Amino acid sequence: MKIELHTHTSEISSCSELPCQKLIELYKQAGYDAVVIANHFNTITENYLAAKGCSEFHKTFHDHITEAYELGKEHGLLVLGAYELRFYENDNDYLVFGMTADQCRNYQEIFAMGIRKFSVFARNNNMLLYQAHPFRNQMTVVNPEYLFGIEIQNTHPRHDSRNEIAKSWAKYHGLHGIAGSDVHQPRDVGTSAIVTDYNVKNSADLVHILQNDLYHIE
């Protein structure tokens, strides 16, 4: 299976120019088997949705993933959800796989945790925590002990993610490496992927292959 781990949709993420329908169509055309929508899970998104008249941030965020999953089935593409989480403490972004809607219902408490406390929460609840594009400008490198891994290949064309540094950092500290296109615009689609022989059917399967390195990066 060819899987995209890092995309954003315009219905939820204010920086995205890609509606969910178009995202799914483009990834199906690009020959992918699955795509993960990891919309920004932070106060910026909360305020963006509030300005659009959505008063229930948590519900709106997760309803979108459910709708995307159903839309993906119509196109023969598995669509899963994840989170690009940002805490109050700085501008770092973290990709979180395996967190459920119930586990982040008190999302303001999540935002206030910071990376140190959240890392404990993630480990205790079988979530996988990766720092996204850790060597991009404005990012703060954190203690590797707080992380399961980092994004070692981020192919967003309008940022320098310094992927070679990220690869070296992951190798030196024994961190698991993942890849993503970090899609915000149509031209970003399909520039990165992980490939696995495992039949991923749901989020639990995705966590399993990531946790056990049952994939390679393309």
Side-chain angles (χ1 to χ4, degrees), residues 161-204:
S161 296
R162 300 178 177 87
N163 292 325
E164 291 306 315
I165 297 174
K167 290 175 187 176
S168 297
W169 185 261
K171 183 176 181 181
Y172 183 79
H173 291 286
L175 294 169
H176 299 258
I178 56 171
S181 302
D182 199 356
V183 172
H184 292 75
Q185 299 178 15
R187 62 176 171 150
D188 306 339
V189 166
T191 57
S192 195
I194 64 165
V195 177
T196 180
D197 292 330
Y198 194 87
N199 186 19
V200 175
K201 297 179 180 177
N202 50 45
S203 291

Short mmCIF file of all heavy atoms in Angstrom, two decimals, residues 161-204:
data_model
loop_
_atom_site.label_atom_id
_atom_site.label_comp_id
_atom_site.label_asym_id
_atom_site.label_seq_id
_atom_site.Cartn_x
_atom_site.Cartn_y
_atom_site.Cartn_z
N SER A 161 12.63 22.30 4.88
CA SER A 161 12.51 21.47 6.08
C SER A 161 13.84 20.84 6.49
O SER A 161 13.90 20.14 7.49
CB SER A 161 11.45 20.39 5.87
OG SER A 161 10.17 20.96 5.70
N ARG A 162 14.88 21.05 5.68
CA ARG A 162 16.23 20.55 6.01
C ARG A 162 16.17 19.04 6.32
O ARG A 162 16.58 18.59 7.39
CB ARG A 162 16.83 21.35 7.15
CG ARG A 162 16.94 22.83 6.81
CD ARG A 162 17.50 23.68 7.96
NE ARG A 162 17.65 25.06 7.54
CZ ARG A 162 16.68 25.99 7.62
NH1 ARG A 162 15.50 25.65 8.11
NH2 ARG A 162 16.89 27.22 7.21
N ASN A 163 15.65 18.30 5.37
CA ASN A 163 15.42 16.87 5.57
C ASN A 163 16.68 16.09 5.86
O ASN A 163 16.65 15.10 6.62
CB ASN A 163 14.71 16.30 4.34
CG ASN A 163 13.28 16.81 4.19
OD1 ASN A 163 12.59 17.03 5.18
ND2 ASN A 163 12.85 17.01 2.96
N GLU A 164 17.80 16.46 5.27
CA GLU A 164 19.04 15.72 5.51
C GLU A 164 19.47 15.84 6.97
O GLU A 164 19.97 14.87 7.56
CB GLU A 164 20.14 16.21 4.57
CG GLU A 164 19.91 15.86 3.11
CD GLU A 164 19.67 14.37 2.90
OE1 GLU A 164 20.43 13.56 3.49
OE2 GLU A 164 18.74 14.02 2.16
N ILE A 165 19.28 17.01 7.54
CA ILE A 165 19.59 17.18 8.96
C ILE A 165 18.65 16.33 9.80
O ILE A 165 19.06 15.68 10.77
CB ILE A 165 19.48 18.67 9.37
CG1 ILE A 165 20.51 19.50 8.61
CG2 ILE A 165 19.67 18.83 10.87
CD1 ILE A 165 20.39 20.99 8.85
N ALA A 166 17.37 16.32 9.42
CA ALA A 166 16.39 15.52 10.16
C ALA A 166 16.73 14.03 10.12
O ALA A 166 16.63 13.32 11.13
CB ALA A 166 14.99 15.76 9.61
N LYS A 167 17.17 13.55 8.95
CA LYS A 167 17.55 12.14 8.83
C LYS A 167 18.74 11.82 9.73
O LYS A 167 18.76 10.78 10.42
CB LYS A 167 17.91 11.83 7.38
CG LYS A 167 16.72 11.82 6.43
CD LYS A 167 17.17 11.63 4.99
CE LYS A 167 16.01 11.79 4.02
NZ LYS A 167 16.45 11.71 2.61
N SER A 168 19.71 12.70 9.76
CA SER A 168 20.90 12.48 10.60
C SER A 168 20.53 12.50 12.07
O SER A 168 21.02 11.69 12.87
CB SER A 168 21.96 13.54 10.30
OG SER A 168 22.41 13.45 8.97
N TRP A 169 19.65 13.44 12.43
CA TRP A 169 19.20 13.56 13.83
C TRP A 169 18.46 12.30 14.27
O TRP A 169 18.70 11.78 15.36
CB TRP A 169 18.31 14.78 13.95
CG TRP A 169 17.86 15.12 15.34
CD1 TRP A 169 16.66 14.81 15.91
CD2 TRP A 169 18.59 15.85 16.34
NE1 TRP A 169 16.59 15.30 17.18
CE2 TRP A 169 17.76 15.94 17.48
CE3 TRP A 169 19.86 16.44 16.37
CZ2 TRP A 169 18.16 16.60 18.64
CZ3 TRP A 169 20.25 17.10 17.53
CH2 TRP A 169 19.42 17.17 18.64
N ALA A 170 17.58 11.80 13.42
CA ALA A 170 16.82 10.59 13.75
C ALA A 170 17.76 9.40 13.92
O ALA A 170 17.61 8.60 14.86
CB ALA A 170 15.79 10.30 12.66
N LYS A 171 18.70 9.27 13.04
CA LYS A 171 19.64 8.15 13.12
C LYS A 171 20.48 8.23 14.39
O LYS A 171 20.67 7.23 15.09
CB LYS A 171 20.55 8.14 11.89
CG LYS A 171 21.51 6.97 11.85
CD LYS A 171 22.33 6.96 10.55
CE LYS A 171 23.28 5.77 10.52
NZ LYS A 171 24.09 5.76 9.25
N TYR A 172 20.97 9.40 14.70
CA TYR A 172 21.84 9.58 15.87
C TYR A 172 21.09 9.28 17.18
O TYR A 172 21.66 8.67 18.10
CB TYR A 172 22.37 11.02 15.90
CG TYR A 172 23.33 11.29 17.02
CD1 TYR A 172 24.66 10.88 16.95
CD2 TYR A 172 22.90 11.95 18.18
CE1 TYR A 172 25.55 11.13 17.99
CE2 TYR A 172 23.77 12.19 19.22
CZ TYR A 172 25.09 11.78 19.13
OH TYR A 172 25.96 12.02 20.17
N HIS A 173 19.81 9.67 17.24
CA HIS A 173 19.05 9.53 18.49
C HIS A 173 18.13 8.31 18.50
O HIS A 173 17.39 8.11 19.46
CB HIS A 173 18.23 10.79 18.75
CG HIS A 173 19.07 11.98 19.11
ND1 HIS A 173 19.67 12.12 20.33
CD2 HIS A 173 19.41 13.08 18.38
CE1 HIS A 173 20.33 13.26 20.36
NE2 HIS A 173 20.21 13.86 19.19
N GLY A 174 18.17 7.50 17.45
CA GLY A 174 17.34 6.30 17.41
C GLY A 174 15.86 6.59 17.31
O GLY A 174 15.03 5.84 17.85
N LEU A 175 15.50 7.66 16.60
CA LEU A 175 14.10 8.02 16.43
C LEU A 175 13.54 7.41 15.15
O LEU A 175 14.25 7.28 14.16
CB LEU A 175 13.96 9.55 16.35
CG LEU A 175 14.31 10.32 17.62
CD1 LEU A 175 14.39 11.81 17.32
CD2 LEU A 175 13.30 10.06 18.71
N HIS A 176 12.28 7.06 15.16
CA HIS A 176 11.61 6.52 13.98
C HIS A 176 11.34 7.66 13.00
O HIS A 176 10.91 8.74 13.40
CB HIS A 176 10.30 5.84 14.38
CG HIS A 176 10.48 4.70 15.33
ND1 HIS A 176 10.45 3.38 14.93
CD2 HIS A 176 10.71 4.68 16.67
CE1 HIS A 176 10.64 2.60 15.98
NE2 HIS A 176 10.80 3.36 17.05
N GLY A 177 11.57 7.40 11.72
CA GLY A 177 11.40 8.43 10.71
C GLY A 177 10.20 8.18 9.82
O GLY A 177 9.96 7.04 9.39
N ILE A 178 9.45 9.23 9.54
CA ILE A 178 8.32 9.14 8.62
C ILE A 178 8.44 10.22 7.53
O ILE A 178 9.29 11.11 7.63
CB ILE A 178 6.96 9.28 9.33
CG1 ILE A 178 6.89 10.58 10.14
CG2 ILE A 178 6.68 8.07 10.21
CD1 ILE A 178 5.52 10.90 10.69
N ALA A 179 7.57 10.12 6.53
CA ALA A 179 7.60 11.05 5.41
C ALA A 179 6.19 11.52 5.09
O ALA A 179 5.22 10.79 5.28
CB ALA A 179 8.20 10.36 4.18
N GLY A 180 6.10 12.75 4.59
CA GLY A 180 4.81 13.29 4.19
C GLY A 180 4.95 14.43 3.22
O GLY A 180 5.96 15.14 3.22
N SER A 181 3.95 14.60 2.38
CA SER A 181 3.96 15.69 1.39
C SER A 181 3.57 17.03 2.00
O SER A 181 3.84 18.07 1.41
CB SER A 181 3.01 15.35 0.24
OG SER A 181 3.37 14.14 -0.39
N ASP A 182 2.92 17.02 3.17
CA ASP A 182 2.49 18.26 3.83
C ASP A 182 1.67 19.10 2.85
O ASP A 182 1.99 20.25 2.57
CB ASP A 182 3.71 19.02 4.34
CG ASP A 182 3.36 20.05 5.42
OD1 ASP A 182 2.16 20.21 5.70
OD2 ASP A 182 4.29 20.69 5.94
N VAL A 183 0.60 18.50 2.38
CA VAL A 183 -0.17 19.07 1.27
C VAL A 183 -1.07 20.21 1.72
O VAL A 183 -1.87 20.07 2.64
CB VAL A 183 -1.02 17.96 0.62
CG1 VAL A 183 -1.97 18.54 -0.41
CG2 VAL A 183 -0.12 16.94 -0.03
N HIS A 184 -0.95 21.35 1.00
CA HIS A 184 -1.82 22.49 1.19
C HIS A 184 -2.43 22.98 -0.13
O HIS A 184 -3.45 23.66 -0.12
CB HIS A 184 -1.05 23.66 1.82
CG HIS A 184 -0.63 23.43 3.23
ND1 HIS A 184 0.42 22.59 3.57
CD2 HIS A 184 -1.12 23.92 4.41
CE1 HIS A 184 0.57 22.59 4.89
NE2 HIS A 184 -0.35 23.38 5.41
N GLN A 185 -1.78 22.65 -1.24
CA GLN A 185 -2.22 23.09 -2.55
C GLN A 185 -2.18 21.91 -3.52
O GLN A 185 -1.47 20.92 -3.26
CB GLN A 185 -1.31 24.21 -3.08
CG GLN A 185 -1.28 25.46 -2.24
CD GLN A 185 -0.33 26.50 -2.78
OE1 GLN A 185 0.12 26.42 -3.92
NE2 GLN A 185 -0.01 27.51 -1.97
N PRO A 186 -2.92 21.98 -4.64
CA PRO A 186 -2.93 20.85 -5.58
C PRO A 186 -1.55 20.42 -6.04
O PRO A 186 -1.28 19.23 -6.19
CB PRO A 186 -3.77 21.39 -6.75
CG PRO A 186 -4.70 22.36 -6.10
CD PRO A 186 -3.91 23.02 -5.01
N ARG A 187 -0.63 21.37 -6.24
CA ARG A 187 0.71 21.01 -6.73
C ARG A 187 1.55 20.25 -5.69
O ARG A 187 2.59 19.71 -6.02
CB ARG A 187 1.46 22.25 -7.20
CG ARG A 187 1.72 23.29 -6.10
CD ARG A 187 2.55 24.42 -6.65
NE ARG A 187 2.65 25.54 -5.72
CZ ARG A 187 3.70 26.35 -5.66
NH1 ARG A 187 4.73 26.16 -6.47
NH2 ARG A 187 3.72 27.36 -4.81
N ASP A 188 1.10 20.22 -4.44
CA ASP A 188 1.84 19.53 -3.39
C ASP A 188 1.54 18.03 -3.35
O ASP A 188 2.25 17.27 -2.69
CB ASP A 188 1.49 20.11 -2.01
CG ASP A 188 1.66 21.61 -1.92
OD1 ASP A 188 2.41 22.17 -2.74
OD2 ASP A 188 1.05 22.22 -1.01
N VAL A 189 0.49 17.61 -4.01
CA VAL A 189 -0.03 16.25 -3.88
C VAL A 189 0.97 15.21 -4.39
O VAL A 189 1.55 15.36 -5.47
CB VAL A 189 -1.36 16.10 -4.64
CG1 VAL A 189 -1.75 14.64 -4.81
CG2 VAL A 189 -2.47 16.85 -3.92
N GLY A 190 1.15 14.17 -3.59
CA GLY A 190 1.88 12.98 -4.05
C GLY A 190 3.37 13.13 -4.19
O GLY A 190 3.98 12.42 -4.99
N THR A 191 3.98 14.01 -3.44
CA THR A 191 5.43 14.19 -3.55
C THR A 191 6.20 13.34 -2.54
O THR A 191 7.42 13.32 -2.55
CB THR A 191 5.82 15.66 -3.37
OG1 THR A 191 5.33 16.14 -2.11
CG2 THR A 191 5.23 16.51 -4.50
N SER A 192 5.49 12.65 -1.67
CA SER A 192 6.13 11.79 -0.68
C SER A 192 5.15 10.68 -0.28
O SER A 192 3.94 10.79 -0.51
CB SER A 192 6.53 12.60 0.56
OG SER A 192 7.43 11.90 1.36
N ALA A 193 5.69 9.61 0.30
CA ALA A 193 4.82 8.50 0.71
C ALA A 193 5.59 7.52 1.57
O ALA A 193 6.83 7.51 1.57
CB ALA A 193 4.28 7.76 -0.52
N ILE A 194 4.84 6.71 2.31
CA ILE A 194 5.39 5.48 2.86
C ILE A 194 4.72 4.33 2.11
O ILE A 194 3.58 4.46 1.66
CB ILE A 194 5.20 5.35 4.38
CG1 ILE A 194 3.71 5.25 4.75
CG2 ILE A 194 5.89 6.48 5.12
CD1 ILE A 194 3.47 4.76 6.17
N VAL A 195 5.44 3.23 1.98
CA VAL A 195 4.93 2.06 1.28
C VAL A 195 5.07 0.85 2.19
O VAL A 195 6.13 0.63 2.79
CB VAL A 195 5.67 1.83 -0.05
CG1 VAL A 195 5.17 0.57 -0.74
CG2 VAL A 195 5.51 3.04 -0.98
N THR A 196 4.00 0.08 2.29
CA THR A 196 4.00 -1.09 3.17
C THR A 196 3.37 -2.29 2.47
O THR A 196 2.47 -2.13 1.64
CB THR A 196 3.25 -0.79 4.49
OG1 THR A 196 3.26 -1.95 5.34
CG2 THR A 196 1.81 -0.39 4.23
N ASP A 197 3.81 -3.49 2.84
CA ASP A 197 3.18 -4.72 2.36
C ASP A 197 1.99 -5.11 3.23
O ASP A 197 1.24 -6.03 2.89
CB ASP A 197 4.19 -5.87 2.36
CG ASP A 197 5.29 -5.68 1.33
OD1 ASP A 197 5.01 -5.06 0.28
OD2 ASP A 197 6.42 -6.14 1.58
N TYR A 198 1.83 -4.42 4.34
CA TYR A 198 0.76 -4.72 5.30
C TYR A 198 -0.56 -4.14 4.79
O TYR A 198 -0.59 -3.04 4.22
CB TYR A 198 1.12 -4.12 6.66
CG TYR A 198 0.30 -4.62 7.82
CD1 TYR A 198 0.66 -5.76 8.52
CD2 TYR A 198 -0.83 -3.92 8.24
CE1 TYR A 198 -0.08 -6.21 9.60
CE2 TYR A 198 -1.58 -4.37 9.31
CZ TYR A 198 -1.21 -5.51 9.98
OH TYR A 198 -1.95 -5.95 11.04
N ASN A 199 -1.65 -4.85 5.00
CA ASN A 199 -2.97 -4.40 4.57
C ASN A 199 -3.58 -3.49 5.63
O ASN A 199 -4.20 -3.95 6.58
CB ASN A 199 -3.88 -5.60 4.30
CG ASN A 199 -5.22 -5.19 3.71
OD1 ASN A 199 -5.36 -4.09 3.19
ND2 ASN A 199 -6.20 -6.06 3.80
N VAL A 200 -3.39 -2.21 5.47
CA VAL A 200 -3.90 -1.22 6.43
C VAL A 200 -5.38 -0.98 6.15
O VAL A 200 -5.76 -0.60 5.04
CB VAL A 200 -3.11 0.10 6.32
CG1 VAL A 200 -3.72 1.16 7.22
CG2 VAL A 200 -1.65 -0.13 6.68
N LYS A 201 -6.20 -1.19 7.17
CA LYS A 201 -7.64 -1.01 7.03
C LYS A 201 -8.20 0.10 7.91
O LYS A 201 -9.31 0.58 7.68
CB LYS A 201 -8.37 -2.32 7.37
CG LYS A 201 -8.03 -3.48 6.44
CD LYS A 201 -8.77 -4.73 6.87
CE LYS A 201 -8.43 -5.92 5.95
NZ LYS A 201 -9.10 -7.17 6.40
N ASN A 202 -7.43 0.49 8.95
CA ASN A 202 -7.93 1.47 9.90
C ASN A 202 -6.76 2.12 10.63
O ASN A 202 -5.60 1.80 10.37
CB ASN A 202 -8.89 0.80 10.90
CG ASN A 202 -8.29 -0.46 11.51
OD1 ASN A 202 -7.13 -0.48 11.91
ND2 ASN A 202 -9.09 -1.52 11.57
N SER A 203 -7.08 3.01 11.56
CA SER A 203 -6.03 3.74 12.28
C SER A 203 -5.18 2.82 13.15
O SER A 203 -3.98 3.05 13.30
CB SER A 203 -6.67 4.83 13.14
OG SER A 203 -7.20 5.85 12.33
N ALA A 204 -5.79 1.77 13.70
CA ALA A 204 -5.02 0.83 14.52
C ALA A 204 -3.97 0.12 13.68
O ALA A 204 -2.83 -0.10 14.12
CB ALA A 204 -5.95 -0.18 15.18
#
